[in-house]
Amino acid sequence: MILLFKIALLFTFGMFFIPKNQKYLLALALQIMLIVPSTVWALDVLNNKTIIIDLGITTWSGSIQLTIDSLSAYFMLIINLICLCGLIYASGYLKPYLPKKRSVFISLHLFSFIWLHGAMLLVVSMRDGIAFLLAWELMSLFSFVLVIFEAQKESTLKTGINYLLQMHLSFALIMLGFLIAENQTGDLSFAGVGEFFSRNPNTPLFLVFLAGFGIKAGFIPFHTWLPRAHPAAPSHVSGVMSGIMIKMGIYGIFRITSMIQSDLMTIGIIVLAIGIVSGLLGVVMAILQHDLKKLLAYHSIENIGIIGMGIGMGILGKASGDHYLMVFGFAGALLHNLNHALFKSLLFFTAGNVYYATHHVNMDKLGGLAKGMRYTSYAFLIGALAISGIPPFNGFISEYLIYSGVINQLSNSVFIISILSIACILSLVLIGGLCVYCFTKAFGISFLGTRRQESFSEPKEVPKIMLLPAVIQVSFILAIGLMPAFFGEGAINIVQDLLHMPSSDFAASAVQSLTVVGHVNMLLIVLIVLIMLLRAWQQSQVKIAAGPTWGCGYTAGDFRHQYTPTSYADSLRELANPVIDYKKVYTPFPEKEIFPQHKEFHTESKDLVEEKTVLSWVHLIVNHLPKAGIAQSGLINDYLLYPMLFLILIGFLIALNIL
Amino acid sequence: MLSLLLIFVAAIYFPGVIVKVKAIFAGRKGPGILQPWYDIFRLLKKGSVYSSSSSFVFQIAAPIYFTTVLVAALFIPFEESIALFSFTGDFVLFAYLLGLGRFVIILSALDVSSGFEGMGANREAFYSMLMEPAFFILMGSLAMFTGYTSFHDIFANLHYNSYFSAIIGIIASYVLANITLVETSRLPVDDPLTHLELTMVHEVMVLDHSGFDLGIIKIANNIKFVLFSTLSANCVIPQALDLWIRIVMLLVIQAAFAAGIGWLESFRARNKMAMNAQYILSINAVALILIFVAMIIKNKI
C-alpha cells in the first residue's frame, strides 16, 4: 500500500515526458493510485483504531511516520472525494486551454494538482513537526502553482504572489507555534504541543496556532487572500481549494483544540467571536458582489465562520463541563466540513460551467441560463439550497447539530454561556437568512429571467464529463440530507474518539432526532412529487398556455427592466456600510443637457475590514519608504562612507561597553 | 393528529372571517365565510398561463411552497396531543422548512424577468431575513424557561408556574402574532389589497402564477396563517382545563385573531416601505426582552 502511494508521487515526474493529450490520463491514474491506499487506510481506521505507517524515510528527527487516527481518516476521505471530482471536472474544463497552452504548463498544472492532493493527505497524517511543516509547505506551493495557471494575466500573477506571501505568513506562525513548544518540551511535534499545553497557560500558544491555521482557513481578518485567489484560479482548482484545502486550517485547529487543557473559557469565547464575525461579515460581503466566483469565495469565509462557531461552542461546552454541548458543537463543525466541501466545490464547478459556456462570471451579464443549461442550473440550485442550510439537503444537518447542542443547555447554563449561546443562535439564524438573500440573488439573477445582455447565441450546456462531478456531489448531498443519522453518528464518534471520551449516549440521542429529520426530509420529497403528479393530472384536463410576463399593463417589457444584482442587494447596502465601502460611479446629468449623451453607471465595493486591518499598515510603510531613498545618492563616495560610519558606530558601542 | 385536524378546521374559516370583518367595518354585507375557499376551488379547476420567459424553477415553485407549509403543519402540537414529528430542536426544522418554501417562491418571482416581481422578491428576502431571528429568540427563551427543546414539550410545560407563565406566555403570544403578520405579509408590513404592484411584497411575487399553482399557493398561505396563530394560541391557553374547553378556546382565539386582523386592516394604513425594517427589528427587540425576562425568572441575572 505504502509502496503504491510512493510510486504514485514519484511517477508524477513522468508527466513532463509524455505527449500532451496523454497527460490527463496519467494524472487520473496517479490520482487513483493515491486514492486507493489512503481510502483503504481511512476506512480501516474508522472501523478499528489508529494506525501508524512507516514511510521509510529517515530525517535527523527520526523516521517519518504516517499516523492516521479517526480525525485524519475523516479528512482523508473528504480530500479524496473532492480531489477526484476536481480532476474529473478538469478534464472538461482544461480542454479549451490545451491547444493554447504550452505542453510544459499543462504538465506543471496536472503535476501540481496531484502533488496538492498528496500533500494534503500528508498534512492530515503527519504528527512530527518537521514533516508536518514540510507537507504544509508543499501544499501551499503547489496550490500557488495551480492558482497562477493563467499567469499571462498580470492580475492573476499578482493575486498568486499575494496568496503565496500570506501562506508563508501562515507557515511562519505555525512554525513559531511548534518552536515555542519545542523550546520547553524538546519535542517538535503535536505531542510536544500537547505537553506544552499541560504545563503552561494555553491562550498565547493557542492564539499563535489559531492565527497560523486561521490564515489558511480564511477567518476574518485573515481572509483577504480568499476573494482574490478563488476567482483568479481555474474553476476546478478553486473548487478544490475552497472545498478542501482551506479545511486543512480547520483540521489544524481541531487538532490543537483537542489538546488544550486550561483557559478554555477565554479560548472558547475568542474562537466563537471570530466565527461569528467571519460568518456574518462573510455573507454580508458576499451579497454585494457581482462576480459569481467572488461571491462564492466570500461564502467560504461565511461557512468557515459557521465551523468556527461550532468549534467555539464545543470549547465552551468543555469549559463549562457540559459534554452534550461539547460533543454536538464539535460534531456539527466537523460535519459542516464535509458538507461545505461538497456544496462549495459543486457551486464552484457549476460557476465554472457558466464561465465555460458564456465566458462571463459577472452577474450583470448573465441571466436566463436555466433554459439553455438545464443540468448546470439543477446542480447550482441544489448547491444554493444546501449552502443556505435548507432541508432536505445536507447543510441543514450540520447546522442542526450545532443548534441542538446550543438549545439543549439554554435552561441550565450559567449566565455567560447563555448569553454566548444566544449570540450563537442569533448569528446562525441571521447567516441563514442572509444566505437565502444571497443565493436567491446568485441563482435568480444568473440563471433565471432573461439574459441581461443582447447576445447572439444561446449558451449551451457543457460537455457531460463536466457534469459528472456534480452527479457525485449531489448524490452525497442528498444522502446526508436523507440519512442524517448515519453521518451525524459518525461525526459524533469521531469527536468522542478525538477527545478520548468514553462512548456515551449522545450518539444515540443524536441518532434518534436525526432519524426523524431524515424521515421529514423524505416525506417532503415524496409529497412534492405527489403534488406535482396531481398538478400534471389536473393540467392534462385543462388548457395550458404560454404568454408574456404580466407587466402591469405595460406591454413593451425588455430584459433591461429586470432586477439587477445591484438593485437586488440594495436593501442591504445601508446595513453593510460599516464593513463595505460601496460606491456608485456615474457621470451625472448636466443641467441643460437636451440630448442625453452616452452615460455609464457601475458600482464598486471595497472590503473595509481588509482596508483597516491589513492595507492601512501597508500603505503607511509604502508611503514612508521613499524617504529612505535619500541615502541612495548614486555616488560611490557615499556608499563607502556608510560602512565607515557603521564601523565607527560599532567602535563606539564597544568603547561604551554596550556590545 | 388532533392538532392537524384543528389547523385544517381553523384554516377553513380564518380567511373568511378576515374578509367578513373588513366588509362589515366598510359598511358592506360582505361575502360568505367560505367565499375565499370557493375562489380557491375555482382556481384549482382552471387552466394556467406560464410566462414565456420562465423556466423549470417556476414550475416547481408552487408545489414545493405548498408542500413545505403542509409538512410544517405536522410539527405543530396542540397541548398534550403529540404532533406527528416531535424531537429535540424541531422548531429549527420547522423554520427552515418554511425557509425552503420562501426560497423557491422568491426564485419563481425572479424567473419571470419582471421588475415588479423582482422588487417583491427582494423585499421578501430582506424582511424574512430580519424576521427569522425573532422566532428563534422566542423559541430559545421558551426553551430556556421550560427546560425543554421541542414544540410539544415546551408548550406542555409552559404552564407549571402560573404567574411567570402568564408573563412569558402573553409576551410570546404577542411576538408570535406579530411574526404571523410579517410572515403572511399582512398589514402593517404589506397590504394584500393594494392595487399598486410597486408597494406589494408577497402578492406581487405570485402575479404570474395562475390556475392550480395559484390555488395551492393560496391554500398554503391560509394554512401558514393558522400555523402561527395556533402557536400563538398555544402560549396562552391554560393547561389545566378540560380538553374540549381548550379546543373551543383555540378555535375562538383563532377566530378572534382573524377578526383582529380584519379590524387592523380596516383602520390602519400600511407602513411606509422604509419603515418596515424598523418595525420588524422592534419585534426582535421585544423577543429579546422576553429572553431577559426568562433569564431573570431562571435566576441567571
Side-chain angles (χ1 to χ4, degrees), chain B residues 177-209:
Chain B
N178 275 298
I179 292 176
T180 316
L181 294 180
V182 180
E183 281 283 340
T184 52
S185 301
R186 308 297 296 206
L187 275 175
V189 173
D190 180 21
D191 185 356
L193 289 184
T194 167
H195 284 282
L196 184 59
E197 289 84 352
L198 280 172
T199 58
M200 297 196 289
V201 181
H202 187 267
E203 297 296 314
V204 75
M205 285 202 296
V206 297
L207 265 185
D208 264 278
H209 286 273

Side-chain angles (χ1 to χ4, degrees), chain A residues 389 400 410 418 535 538 547 549, chain B residues 44 51-52 59 88 96 112 300:
Chain A
Y400 168 78
L410 268 180
S418 299
R535 185 181 64 179
Q538 189 268 342
T549 299
Chain B
L44 289 180
S51 163
S52 49
Q59 306 265 343
T88 308
Y96 275 75
V112 294
K300 286 192 186 191

Side-chain angles (χ1 to χ4, degrees), chain B:
Chain B
M1 294 310 276
L2 175 65
S3 57
L4 201 59
L5 192 72
L6 288 172
I7 285 171
F8 287 137
V9 170
I12 288 173
Y13 65 75
F14 205 97
V17 170
I18 299 179
V19 175
K20 190 85 183 169
V21 169
K22 280 170 85 168
I24 291 170
F25 277 124
R28 289 181 284 119
K29 188 158 153 266
I33 294 283
L34 293 179
Q35 187 59 41
W37 280 93
Y38 291 134
D39 293 344
I40 288 172
F41 283 125
R42 212 177 60 229
L43 279 174
L44 289 180
K45 281 186 271 178
K46 276 189 166 180
S48 305
V49 182
Y50 286 104
S51 163
S52 49
S53 70
S54 67
S55 64
F56 75 94
V57 174
F58 192 82
Q59 306 265 343
I60 59 171
I64 294 183
Y65 179 65
F66 178 71
T67 316
T68 53
V69 176
L70 211 58
V71 175
L74 304 177
F75 284 77
I76 304 290
F78 176 63
E79 304 293 327
E80 70 265 28
S81 82
I82 290 192
L84 205 56
F85 297 117
S86 179
F87 53 93
T88 308
D90 54 1
F91 56 86
V92 179
L93 185 51
F94 171 83
Y96 275 75
L97 272 175
L98 295 180
L100 170 62
R102 195 178 301 127
F103 198 104
V104 288
I105 280 290
I106 291 172
L107 286 185
S108 79
L110 288 172
D111 200 12
V112 294
S113 68
S114 141
F116 296 115
E117 297 194 30
M119 224 175 270
N122 173 32
R123 285 177 192 146
E124 173 89 357
F126 187 56
Y127 296 154
S128 60
M129 183 265 292
L130 294 175
M131 192 69 258
E132 273 191 337
F135 180 72
F136 276 81
I137 303 171
L138 173 79
M139 293 313 297
S141 50
L142 292 182
M144 184 185 284
F145 177 64
T146 58
Y148 290 90
T149 52
S150 71
F151 268 139
H152 172 258
D153 294 340
I154 286 174
F155 289 127
N157 292 286
L158 190 55
H159 307 283
Y160 70 91
N161 189 327
S162 56
Y163 285 127
F164 292 152
S165 292
I167 301 171
I168 294 272
I170 288 168
I171 305 178
S173 173
Y174 172 78
V175 173
L176 271 169
N178 275 298
I179 292 176
T180 316
L181 294 180
V182 180
E183 281 283 340
T184 52
S185 301
R186 308 297 296 206
L187 275 175
V189 173
D190 180 21
D191 185 356
L193 289 184
T194 167
H195 284 282
L196 184 59
E197 289 84 352
L198 280 172
T199 58
M200 297 196 289
V201 181
H202 187 267
E203 297 296 314
V204 75
M205 285 202 296
V206 297
L207 265 185
D208 264 278
H209 286 273
S210 54
F212 189 85
D213 286 342
L214 187 60
I216 54 177
I217 288 176
K218 285 191 181 260
I219 298 176
N221 282 344
N222 290 344
I223 297 177
K224 204 170 169 185
F225 233 128
V226 180
L227 288 190
F228 279 99
S229 62
T230 309
L231 283 181
S232 183
N234 264 330
C235 296
V236 286
I237 296 176
Q239 177 84 342
L241 302 172
D242 280 342
L243 182 63
W244 67 270
I245 299 181
R246 279 186 277 125
I247 291 176
V248 172
M249 270 183 88
L250 179 75
L251 294 178
V252 170
I253 287 177
Q254 306 271 31
F257 188 51
I261 291 171
W263 174 77
L264 189 74
E265 295 195 345
S266 305
F267 290 101
R268 197 187 188 294
R270 198 177 54 75
N271 280 346
K272 268 196 242 165
M273 259 314 160
M275 293 286 289
N276 275 342
Q278 273 181 38
Y279 170 77
I280 297 171
L281 286 177
S282 69
I283 302 172
N284 278 287
V286 178
L288 273 178
I289 292 174
L290 186 64
I291 209 153
F292 281 103
V293 173
M295 276 187 178
I296 292 167
I297 293 174
K298 296 288 279 185
N299 280 328
K300 286 192 186 191
I301 302 178

